[in-house]
Amino acid sequence: MNDNSLKNMYIHTIGCQMNVYDSERIARDMKAAGYDLTQSVSAADLIVLNTCAIREKAEQKVFSFLGRLADLKKKKPELIIAVGGCVAQQEGRKIISRIPYVDVVFGTSAIGRLPNLVRQAKSRRRRIVDVELAEKIEEAENTAEYPDAVTGFVTIMQGCDNYCSYCVVPYVRGREMSRTPENIIAEIRSLVSMGLREVTLLGQNVNSYGKKEKLCSFPDLLARINEIEGIRRIRFTTSHPKDLSDELIHAFRDLDKLCGHIHLPVQSGSDHILKLMNRKYSGEQYLEKVVGLRKINPEIAITSDIIVGFPGETESDFNDTLNLIRRVAYDGLFAFKYSDRPNAPAACFPDKVPEEKKKERLQTVLDVQAVFTLDKNEAMVGKTEEILVEGPSRKQPDVNENTESDSEFQWSGRTSANKIVNFSEEGQIFCDRNFKGRMIRVRIDRAFPHSLRGTPVYIEPPECKPS
Ligand code: SAH
Ligand code: SF4
Ligand code: F3S
């Protein structure tokens, strides 16, 4: 920086876990450049908006956030506003035409260059746009700092080559590229040394990890991560059903740290729509994968994504989706109304489904799933589960979920199947009351639509740390 005084930076992140991971890197890199994180927009000298382009609604959020900054920028002209991520990649310079007080537009490959871009914008007092997509993976240099978290993300691959006809990701994140196992393992080891206990590996389709670069297979990578001392749990997302191999299914039996949950987005239950979506599997082929997973691990939790109202989706197609949801009986799902995206071929497909119809179908999917989610949670009552405690429960007190003890302090963790369990400290046998990062066995007492409540039956002693 030109001046040595510490500055404040506010980061707002929209979108998927990859953006969360990227924002963590932005925070680290910018800290090294003299910017400390602040939770206050008005105290910021630099505002970074990390954006998502997956649906129109996500894109609208970007422009409404930027619109709200107009007054602040007027009052504080030296404030730097930087827009990054998928909308930045998609729109480039057009963002500045629309919002002239944006100083920096940086694409999905330009994250590592942000400190330099901000410096240039400040010293040259001009707008900077950097949206060149990289052709090879650029490794972060600065991993020295990380928030004190028990769980965290590590991106193992970037981009996507699948070109589902509705999806913007291949255009905004570029071609699929995998990081080397050595770099991934080194990053996880470093995070473990800072307290990380659970890692979620990120990629748009982890099943094709390493194939192009002829690195190792994804199950091999998992096996290597499973050996890292100090890591207690491994999760990953997302897995494309067309590439879900038997080898990966077997990993759920063979790797003790791999959690019993898979996010396996089906998108639709209609073969006709799946073909239009370019998903490359049929409803029956998908169901065979589900049977294979449950044969290996009958307890495995399966979740999914559904798009309703894809162009040409008839009542009969939609019923096929509902039937598939019922046949799988998912543990949970995310459902979205189809949204036209720039570049994605489906934007030009005929027979668009009216908005009202999409809304109605979305509600039907959510209603059908809600029954399964609650049933699955209720089936847990009376069982004993091991959870990794992530910290204090986020909703405190939860008036809807606690009838007797509304104001009671609760800890929160997740089961291997990724279900949230809250518990109180009542009757604890250890005087050390910091449960964060510890594995606890809890008896599940009550089930709610989105969480469980339990009582600890065994708490592992705190890790010995040299004094
Ligand atoms: N790579 C992941 C998906 C990433 S996007 C995969 O293949 O599963 C997350 C989800 O957003 C998708 O699974 C899909 O359900 C939804 N989505 C993507 N594009 C969409 C669009 N144009 N309209 C509505 N939902 C969309
Ligand atoms: Fe998009 Fe399909 Fe790639 Fe997922 S697999 S990111 S839905 S193109
Ligand atoms: Fe959104 Fe980009 Fe992720 S479009 S879903 S932030 S890859």
Side-chain angles (χ1 to χ4, degrees), residues 298-327:
E299 303 278 292
I300 196 165
I302 304 178
T303 55
S304 190
D305 292 345
I306 300 279
I307 297 178
V308 297
F310 186 83
E313 185 187 71
T314 61
E315 283 306 321
S316 151
D317 292 319
F318 180 61
N319 278 328
D320 288 347
T321 298
L322 293 179
N323 284 334
L324 184 135
I325 295 172
R326 292 189 186 103
R327 282 177 72 186

Side-chain angles (χ1 to χ4, degrees), residues 17 42 182 376 438:
Q17 292 116 320
S42 55
E182 292 72 26
K376 297 227 168 195
R438 280 155 75 178

Side-chain angles (χ1 to χ4, degrees), residues 173-214:
R173 291 268 171 176
R175 299 285 53 73
E176 184 183 290
M177 289 181 273
S178 299
R179 296 176 67 195
T180 64
E182 292 72 26
N183 283 335
I184 296 166
I185 288 166
E187 181 171 346
I188 298 173
R189 278 193 208 283
S190 138
L191 296 175
V192 168
S193 73
M194 291 174 232
L196 194 90
R197 293 292 168 263
E198 177 183 300
V199 66
T200 301
L201 309 173
L202 302 177
Q204 296 297 349
N205 178 16
V206 293
N207 299 324
S208 54
Y209 170 81
K211 282 189 185 156
K212 255 179 158 176
E213 294 85 357
K214 299 196 174 49

Side-chain angles (χ1 to χ4, degrees), residues 54-55 166 204 238 265 267 279 305 307 336-337 339:
I54 202 80
R55 284 169 289 275
Y166 49 82
Q204 296 297 349
T238 298
Q267 313 297 359
R279 289 292 286 182
D305 292 345
I307 297 178
F336 310 102
K337 287 184 286 180
S339 166

Side-chain angles (χ1 to χ4, degrees), residues 199-258:
V199 66
T200 301
L201 309 173
L202 302 177
Q204 296 297 349
N205 178 16
V206 293
N207 299 324
S208 54
Y209 170 81
K211 282 189 185 156
K212 255 179 158 176
E213 294 85 357
K214 299 196 174 49
L215 299 166
C216 63
S217 71
F218 182 58
D220 284 343
L221 177 72
L222 287 173
R224 290 174 68 173
I225 296 171
N226 199 63
E227 298 299 312
I228 298 177
E229 209 180 314
I231 198 82
R232 305 295 293 267
R233 284 179 160 183
I234 308 166
R235 301 184 187 275
F236 61 81
T237 194
T238 298
S239 213
H240 195 305
K242 80 174 159 60
D243 302 314
L244 176 61
S245 64
D246 287 347
E247 204 191 348
L248 183 56
I249 293 179
H250 288 125
F252 283 103
R253 179 195 60 199
D254 301 336
L255 302 179
D256 60 326
K257 295 176 184 173
L258 184 61

